[in-house]
Amino acid sequence: EPEVTQTPSHQVTQMGQEVILRCVPISNHLYFYWYRQILGQKVEFLVSFYNNEISEKSEIFDDQFSVERPDGSNFTLKIRSTKLEDSAMYFCASSPIGGTGELFFGEGSRLTVL
Amino acid sequence: EDKVVQSPLSLVVHEGDTVTLNCSYEVTNFRSLLWYKQEKKAPTFLFMLTSSGIEKKSGRLSSILDKKELFSILNITATQTGDSAIYLCAVKPTDSWGKLQFGAGTQVVVTP
């Protein structure tokens, strides 16, 4: 069964460093998303991406965050200068155009900022 | 402010018991409500509900939506240890395709 894959599964970084989290969405999906879950808190929407541009973003998704689809398969989330409070599980998700609307989530990338 | 509230926060049951999980919402521009199961990492999709009163079933799981009273329930009958997980409820608004607003989840532990 097709699935969303994410790398790395866990990354430890120093505060102030740049981090890139990578995702390979399901191949025929056209909508892509990033969500995050801080330990013990709710899953929160960060950004949605369609047709090579951001279609919606939350207030969390400030200037330190950016997303990119550098080629036909990868979808990346870059955090420019990490802060301690960026420590979280980051989930990538995708959904097909014209589908019933459910999002398919990847296994997540755990980011730990020291 | 939009809210999605799940109850209970957690529960422990014995194998074979029936579990009922609740999700209430106060969301403007409601389009649909989704249930996900989160075992270790990735939330996996269970149901999407758009219309009131129509039960969705998948094996021992079923769910229903009440758009008048603004809640949904997820039932799990004849629970098994493999049902142990966090069950997440999320609401999708009409003015967004992928911006789900999640509840805090209900942690279900099924003991042998």
Side-chain angles (χ1 to χ4, degrees):
Chain A
E1 189 174 325
E3 57 182 25
V4 176
T5 57
Q6 291 186 239
T7 54
S9 57
H10 188 192
Q11 181 155 356
V12 181
T13 191
Q14 294 290 323
M15 195 168 56
Q17 295 296 304
E18 177 181 283
V19 157
I20 297 176
L21 306 178
R22 291 183 169 79
C23 169
V24 179
I26 294 172
S27 63
N28 63 343
H29 286 188
L30 296 177
Y31 290 92
F32 314 119
Y33 316 90
W34 284 100
Y35 281 77
R36 79 172 185 191
Q37 187 174 30
I38 295 171
L39 190 63
Q41 297 187 25
K42 296 181 182 183
V43 177
E44 302 173 290
F45 169 79
L46 292 179
V47 66
S48 60
F49 191 88
Y50 170 71
N51 199 25
N52 281 319
E53 60 183 29
I54 290 173
S55 47
E56 193 170 7
K57 60 183 181 179
S58 72
E59 53 277 2
I60 302 167
F61 194 87
D62 60 22
D63 291 344
Q64 69 162 339
F65 292 95
S66 61
V67 289
E68 193 178 29
R69 188 152 162 84
D71 54 43
S73 59
N74 290 284
F75 178 52
T76 62
L77 174 70
K78 182 192 287 186
I79 309 174
R80 248 178 287 281
S81 177
T82 50
K83 300 181 281 213
L84 295 176
E85 53 265 37
D86 295 328
S87 295
M89 181 72 88
Y90 288 81
F91 292 107
C92 176
S94 67
S95 62
I97 197 164
T100 51
E102 69 262 32
L103 274 62
F104 296 83
F105 285 84
E107 293 271 303
S109 293
R110 178 163 295 286
L111 176 65
T112 302
V113 182
L114 303 176
Chain B
E1 185 185 326
D2 293 347
K3 288 193 296 187
V4 179
V5 178
Q6 292 187 245
S7 62
L9 287 180
S10 66
L11 73 164
V12 181
V13 299
H14 294 293
E15 264 190 319
D17 288 352
T18 293
V19 159
T20 299
L21 310 181
N22 301 286
C23 176
S24 64
Y25 62 92
E26 292 176 29
V27 173
T28 53
N29 304 320
F30 174 88
R31 182 204 297 261
S32 56
L33 185 145
L34 295 85
W35 284 98
Y36 282 85
K37 178 182 182 182
Q38 187 177 26
E39 290 182 80
K40 290 188 178 170
K41 289 186 179 177
T44 52
F45 173 76
L46 295 175
F47 298 112
M48 186 169 77
L49 303 146
T50 305
S51 303
S52 273
I54 299 172
E55 185 182 50
K56 296 248 177 140
K57 279 184 75 88
S58 176
R60 296 176 293 101
L61 276 67
S62 63
S63 184
I64 198 160
L65 175 68
D66 185 329
K67 289 169 75 174
K68 184 179 174 188
E69 300 297 328
L70 307 183
F71 76 92
S72 173
I73 61 171
L74 174 69
N75 278 319
I76 310 172
T77 58
T79 51
Q80 302 170 358
T81 54
D83 295 325
S84 296
I86 296 173
Y87 291 84
L88 299 171
C89 166
V91 170
K92 176 187 286 198
T94 53
D95 55 355
S96 172
W97 186 250
K99 184 179 178 181
L100 301 181
Q101 183 165 355
F102 281 86
T106 294
Q107 179 161 33
V108 175
V109 175
V110 182
T111 61

